[in-house]
């Protein structure tokens, strides 16, 4: 009888904490959307801020954010997933591998401002990339690599060993087994890691102030989209910080609402792509 009461109490406590977590999230989202949506308009999304024209817009910051997300994922995802595959499927357990995994976990806990300082000195100054979207992307790639690598490792470890032995028993090679069996089975976990990485990229501001700068202009005419990666580019999170520092609260909440919608879009896109890849 006493055990039943204890189990019921713990179950009720779990439900209570879950309910409080959901309500807290819903409260934050509701508050941001209620404060932010009145400030969102067509001109807010399609123009840039200009004192001469009297406009307040985030089109440049929106483009910079998309540039940064795509470029960072193009750099970090192949390296992170490849590293996880090697560590989990090819490398033999040794002290060297343990040191690599320890270093990966340590990197995941380093404050972003430290990454920003390193990126500014190494990529910006030593390599001569300056304040640019490319410098910010390379810096953020270092930040999210541990996240993608560790999530991919855990996803691969969750795949039953019977999948591996069954594929090898049927004559499949190691890489063929990984490509056709393990990766599709681990895709939900890998997608979760990529989604968390996207959230960190979109929400990062401290490191980007040191590396990508705060430029808010759209790509110039005649120079092409690729030229933009060598220019300074402030993201939505950076512009949100600058708007709050100037007490432009309406614009700040509008940017926050757009940021949440952007994260939701990338969440849906990541899930869609992972489902499609898992079916291949």
């Amino acid at each position: 009888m006493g055990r039943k009461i204890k189990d019921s109490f713990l179950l009720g406590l779990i439900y209570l904490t879950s309910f409080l977590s959901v309500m807290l999230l819903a409260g934050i989202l509701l508050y941001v959307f209620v404060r932010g949506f009145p400030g969102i308009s067509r001109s807010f999304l399609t123009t840039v801020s200009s004192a001469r024209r009297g406009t307040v817009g985030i089109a440049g910051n929106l483009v910079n954010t998309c540039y940064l997300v795509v470029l960072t994922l193009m750099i970090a995802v192949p390296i992170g997933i490849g590293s996880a595959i090697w560590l989990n499927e090819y490398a033999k357990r040794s002290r060297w591998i343990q040191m690599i995994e320890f270093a990966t976990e340590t990197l995941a806990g380093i404050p972003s401002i430290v990454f920003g300082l390193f990126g500014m000195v190494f990529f910006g100054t030593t390599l001569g990339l300056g304040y640019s979207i490319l410098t910010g992307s390379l810096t953020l790639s270092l930040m999210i690599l541990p996240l993608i690598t560790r999530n991919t490792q855990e996803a691969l470890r969750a795949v039953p060993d019977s999948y591996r032995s069954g594929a090898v028993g049927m004559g499949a090679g190691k890489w063929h087994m990984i490509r056709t069996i393990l990766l599709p089975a681990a895709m939900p976990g890998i997608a979760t890691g990529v989604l968390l990485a996207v959230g960190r990229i979109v929400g990062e501001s401290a490191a980007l102030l040191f590396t990508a700068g705060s430029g808010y202009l759209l790509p110039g005419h005649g120079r092409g989209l690729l030229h933009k990666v060598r220019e300074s580019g402030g993201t939505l999170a950076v512009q949100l910080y600058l708007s709050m520092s100037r007490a432009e609260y309406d614009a700040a909440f509008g940017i926050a609402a757009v940021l949440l919608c952007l994260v939701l879009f990338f969440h849906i896109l990541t899930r869609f792509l992972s489902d499609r890849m898992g079916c291949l």
Side-chain angles (χ1 to χ4, degrees), residues 93-131:
R93 303 303 300 174
S94 63
R95 187 177 298 274
W96 172 243
I97 298 302
Q98 292 177 354
M99 289 177 60
I100 293 176
E101 292 180 345
F102 175 76
T104 303
E105 294 173 354
T106 304
L107 280 173
I110 293 179
S112 60
I113 196 73
V114 178
F115 281 103
L117 181 62
F118 172 80
M120 179 185 68
V121 173
F122 182 71
F123 297 119
T125 303
T126 305
L127 299 184
L129 298 178
Y131 284 96

Side-chain angles (χ1 to χ4, degrees), residues 34-134:
V34 169
R35 288 286 306 270
F37 268 133
I40 299 176
S41 62
R42 182 178 179 181
S43 62
F44 184 72
L45 297 174
T46 58
T47 61
V48 297
S49 297
S50 173
R52 182 172 61 86
R53 298 177 181 176
T55 58
V56 177
I58 59 170
N61 303 110
L62 191 58
V63 171
N64 293 337
T65 302
C66 293
Y67 262 101
L68 203 71
V69 170
V70 173
L71 189 57
T72 303
L73 292 182
M74 287 176 60
I75 297 171
V77 170
I79 298 175
I81 294 179
S83 301
I85 292 174
W86 180 78
L87 288 171
N88 202 70
E89 303 298 327
Y90 288 98
K92 296 180 179 179
R93 303 303 300 174
S94 63
R95 187 177 298 274
W96 172 243
I97 298 302
Q98 292 177 354
M99 289 177 60
I100 293 176
E101 292 180 345
F102 175 76
T104 303
E105 294 173 354
T106 304
L107 280 173
I110 293 179
S112 60
I113 196 73
V114 178
F115 281 103
L117 181 62
F118 172 80
M120 179 185 68
V121 173
F122 182 71
F123 297 119
T125 303
T126 305
L127 299 184
L129 298 178
Y131 284 96
S132 65
I133 293 177
L134 181 58

